[in-house]
Amino acid sequence: MKKLTALTTTALAASVALALTGCGGQAGSTTSTAAVDFPKAGATIEWIVPSAAGAGNDILARIVAPAMQEDLGANIKVVNKEGGSQVVGLNYVAQSKADGLTFGYTNIPSILGRYLDPSKKAAFDRSSFTPIGSFATNSVVIGVNKDSKYKSLKELFDAVKAEPGKITVGTDSRAGDDHINLRLLENQLGLDFNIVHYNSGADKVAAIVSGEVDFALGGVSSFFGQYKSGDIKLLTVIEDNTSPFVPDVPTMKSAGYDVKPMASNFALSVPSKTPKEVVAKLESSLKKAAETAAVQEKLKGAATQPTWVPAAEVSKMWEERETLIKPVIDELLKQQ
């Protein structure tokens, strides 16, 4: 098995900002009356959530949208378009009119598996979007059922080493960020998991609560409710420092495993070719919302860390992440 390069969100997010571009296609460069007047009073802007109502992406959208609405003086309608492991909603954003009245989640790294895996049949790629920024990050954790016999990360990984390919782990989709992160762990630590794919993060969490799988990996926010209720025990957070949301959970580094930190960025994009003045207006509004104290308090209440990343840095991060992740997905495809 090839040794694959680990992903580091923090390092990439700190890249020197570039001039604002779409991730492959530039934002429209021609100033128009519509761009100067954007948005018109009373206009409705759709925030597309490519997952179900009540899921993590949806919850965060409904926290941030009211602040953006107040700043822009336009209606922001959160619209759920689930299906196809988020491809349905992402297709909708990519194919929408490039007028700033439609934007949606293009979370990094999860979007990469949606179009780099041909079986998903996505009608978009990186060049289909222009980022407007990222407002929060989500640390990655490993969780088990409350009654699991594995009381520590060492016990779990020792069991994996003793019985390669037997210990089951749930993901929210094939070739998604959970799947990719698990393959990275396998390669870095010499492990062999029995990976089980579900249709959504909610299904994955339900599989842990019911004991259907031995453990699961994912963002801390997706496990937080069940962790607080005691239905799920978190064994580790894959960061160098403990999470403020689960301060009693040890880091993988402190448990003796040399693994690069893993996290996800909640990024938003408009269709490529959107006029640059419109992109700038949306970026400014998202930044104001992300830095509003009341919004930050609510984001933290959802176990998500408010972290502003400008559009240019998101564009750079996306490009670099794609370069890193494409070989991982190519390897997965070869093993089918």
Side-chain angles (χ1 to χ4, degrees), residues 45 54 92 105-106 131 142 162 173 200 231 254 258 283 307 335:
I45 301 173
Y92 183 88
Y105 281 112
T106 51
I142 289 176
S173 65
S200 68
D231 291 323
S254 70
D258 185 17
E283 179 181 16
T307 309
Q335 295 175 355

Side-chain angles (χ1 to χ4, degrees), residues 34-104:
V36 172
D37 295 340
F38 178 85
K40 291 185 177 179
T44 295
I45 301 173
E46 289 189 333
W47 179 331
I48 305 302
V49 177
S51 49
N57 283 335
D58 179 69
I59 291 170
L60 301 188
R62 295 177 192 279
I63 290 173
V64 178
M68 289 187 68
Q69 177 170 288
E70 182 177 354
D71 175 66
L72 291 169
N75 302 313
I76 296 187
K77 182 180 179 182
V78 177
V79 180
N80 299 91
K81 289 189 178 294
E82 60 179 310
S85 296
Q86 299 191 352
V87 169
V88 170
L90 291 165
N91 277 341
Y92 183 88
V93 175
Q95 296 169 4
S96 293
K97 188 175 180 181
D99 57 5
L101 297 180
T102 304
F103 65 81

Side-chain angles (χ1 to χ4, degrees), residues 7-10 12-13 23 57 86 90 105-115 126 131 133-134 136-138 140 176-177 180-181 262-269 309-322 324-325:
L7 310 179
T8 57
T9 297
T10 304
L12 293 175
C23 282
N57 283 335
Q86 299 191 352
L90 291 165
Y105 281 112
T106 51
N107 294 347
I108 302 171
S110 63
I111 189 173
L112 300 174
R114 273 53 179 180
Y115 66 85
R126 184 164 54 86
S134 174
T137 59
N138 198 13
V140 174
D177 45 344
I180 292 166
N181 285 333
M262 295 178 180
S264 298
N265 282 77
F266 290 94
L268 296 173
S269 295
V309 182
E313 291 187 27
V314 173
S315 179
K316 177 70 171 177
M317 182 196 310
W318 193 339
E319 181 179 2
E320 293 186 358
R321 273 299 187 93
E322 182 180 283
L324 288 171
I325 286 177

Side-chain angles (χ1 to χ4, degrees), residues 6-9 138-141 180-182 184-185 188 217 238-239 259-264 321:
L7 310 179
T8 57
T9 297
N138 198 13
S139 296
V140 174
V141 297
I180 292 166
N181 285 333
L182 285 168
L184 289 168
L185 288 179
Q188 292 172 57
L217 175 149
I238 310 178
E239 296 277 8
V259 173
K260 295 293 185 181
M262 295 178 180
S264 298
R321 273 299 187 93

Side-chain angles (χ1 to χ4, degrees), residues 150-185:
Y150 306 117
K151 306 302 180 185
S152 68
L153 186 65
K154 184 178 186 304
E155 289 183 10
L156 174 62
F157 283 179
D158 283 350
V160 173
K161 290 178 180 178
E163 298 183 283
K166 181 178 179 181
I167 305 302
T168 55
V169 52
T171 81
D172 58 5
S173 65
R174 177 184 171 281
D177 45 344
D178 291 355
H179 192 190
I180 292 166
N181 285 333
L182 285 168
R183 294 308 307 274
L184 289 168
L185 288 179

